[in-house]
Amino acid sequence: MFRNLLIADSGKGHVEEMVRILRDIPPCRQARINLLHVIPEQGGLDLESHRQQAEVLIKEAIERLGLSPGEVNTLVREGDAKLTVLNVADELEADLIVMGSRGLGRLQSILGNSASQYVFQLSTRPMLLVRDDLYVKAINRVLVAIDGTGVGDDALRLACELVQGIPGGSLTGVHVSRQDITPSRGGRTPGDDVLQKAIQRARSFGVEMKGLHRTGDIARGVCAAAEEAKADLVVIASQDRRPLVARALVDLDKLLGSSISDYIRVHAPAPVLLVREPEGRAR
């Protein structure tokens, strides 16, 4: 489970509440907290004043989290927020990035230079996105999207590890097929087989998972299933983007058109935990 959290906190939204929730889950209680505040590039003007303000904001955030200063690694950096978060995550070898989001749509995010949307698209590390318009009191019901791929297996494992540490926690797995497929003679479809394998894998982690099979648009299907399951957290896997390419050129077709993970980021009725395929595994 998570041992090294990078919290990119602007002092707004529900990020700190989510961090408190995570620390109530036994597998996350011993996680190291790294609290990052990024000062926009000032061209050398009044940098010290901005740094002092940042240190005050960090101190207030630590107090709200109910932690002592010795329990938190604080970082104040100057630069572009989105690039700084990615660079610091690599520097610290963070195993989870937690950021807030205004829940903007794709075009709004691009035009507004949204740091969270950029990090969400480019990070190869797990990222938990907490929208400002969502409030979660606790994590009890987890929904994971099942796609039958290697990175999907990573998301399922992570979801099982979370649920294992939650007393009375439940896990629902949803697999969405783009179109109806005629069942075989045994009455099962390929989607049924994907779900059954996932259920067996969850059992190998000691978790009983309820399976849902839906047909239609994948992103909308996942969001609808999360609504139906009253999920407190949605775990998804994504192979949407390859960071080495994306860093050099913004892929507008992907951002504006067919990105499943980006649709879920905006429309899911719960915070979204994104698991990406590590660069070393990408083809």
Side-chain angles (χ1 to χ4, degrees):
M1 190 39 64
F2 304 121
R3 292 287 180 259
N4 197 18
L5 309 186
L6 174 61
I7 317 302
D9 186 14
S10 64
K12 302 176 182 178
H14 302 298
V15 169
E16 289 158 12
E17 287 130 350
M18 180 57 68
V19 174
R20 285 195 292 270
I21 290 170
L22 287 174
R23 285 176 61 83
D24 282 339
I25 299 173
C28 299
R29 282 179 185 159
Q30 302 304 315
R32 177 177 176 80
I33 302 294
N34 302 279
L35 188 57
L36 171 66
H37 186 87
V38 182
I39 303 171
E41 292 176 309
Q42 303 295 322
L45 298 176
D46 205 18
L47 177 60
E48 185 57 32
S49 174
H50 285 281
R51 184 173 294 276
Q52 290 174 0
Q53 291 175 20
E55 289 172 352
V56 170
L57 290 173
I58 285 180
K59 181 180 178 181
E60 292 173 348
I62 291 172
E63 291 173 353
R64 288 193 298 267
L65 286 168
L67 301 172
S68 67
E71 295 178 281
V72 182
N73 177 35
T74 61
L75 304 101
V76 177
R77 298 287 176 86
E78 181 188 16
D80 182 278
K82 52 187 180 289
L83 294 175
T84 302
V85 171
L86 289 169
N87 291 337
V88 170
D90 289 340
E91 173 188 321
L92 299 176
E93 297 185 352
D95 51 23
L96 179 67
I97 301 169
V98 185
M99 292 186 73
S101 168
R102 290 170 291 167
L104 299 176
R106 292 183 285 268
L107 182 57
Q108 289 174 297
S109 291
I110 294 170
L111 297 179
N113 200 25
S114 168
S116 62
Q117 195 267 358
Y118 186 97
V119 174
F120 191 80
Q121 288 290 336
L122 297 188
S123 177
T124 57
R125 300 175 184 277
M127 179 181 179
L128 176 56
L129 198 65
V130 186
R131 290 208 320 267
D132 292 351
D133 61 338
L134 295 174
Y135 176 73
V136 178
K137 186 176 181 180
I139 296 176
N140 292 304
R141 297 175 294 270
V142 178
L143 179 130
V144 59
I146 305 297
D147 62 11
T149 67
V151 66
D153 287 345
D154 292 343
L156 175 58
R157 173 187 54 77
L158 193 153
C160 288
E161 290 176 352
L162 274 173
V163 170
Q164 275 183 317
I166 301 172
S170 65
L171 180 62
T172 300
V174 59
H175 177 72
V176 184
S177 302
R178 292 188 184 275
Q179 58 186 11
D180 285 315
I181 299 177
T182 304
S184 64
R185 291 182 179 179
R188 294 165 63 93
T189 67
D192 295 327
D193 291 335
V194 169
L195 262 181
Q196 191 56 44
K197 288 178 182 178
I199 289 171
Q200 293 298 328
R201 181 170 169 78
R203 283 181 183 150
S204 73
F205 292 114
V207 175
E208 287 296 324
M209 183 176 73
K210 175 184 177 181
L212 297 176
H213 187 199
R214 298 289 182 265
T215 304
D217 181 87
I218 294 175
R220 289 173 173 79
V222 170
C223 291
E227 191 78 51
E228 177 184 332
K230 295 181 170 61
D232 304 310
L233 179 69
V234 175
V235 183
I236 63 173
S238 177
Q239 299 159 311
D240 279 345
R241 294 172 66 76
R242 292 279 63 84
L244 292 179
V245 174
R247 288 178 199 272
L249 179 66
V250 175
D251 184 351
L252 288 177
D253 288 340
K254 189 65 71 176
L255 292 177
L256 298 177
S258 60
S259 173
I260 293 170
S261 63
D262 202 59
Y263 182 93
I264 295 172
R265 169 188 71 84
V266 175
H267 297 284
V272 176
L273 175 52
L274 176 73
V275 180
R276 286 202 179 278
E277 185 172 24
E279 286 182 286
R281 190 196 292 168
R283 294 172 184 168

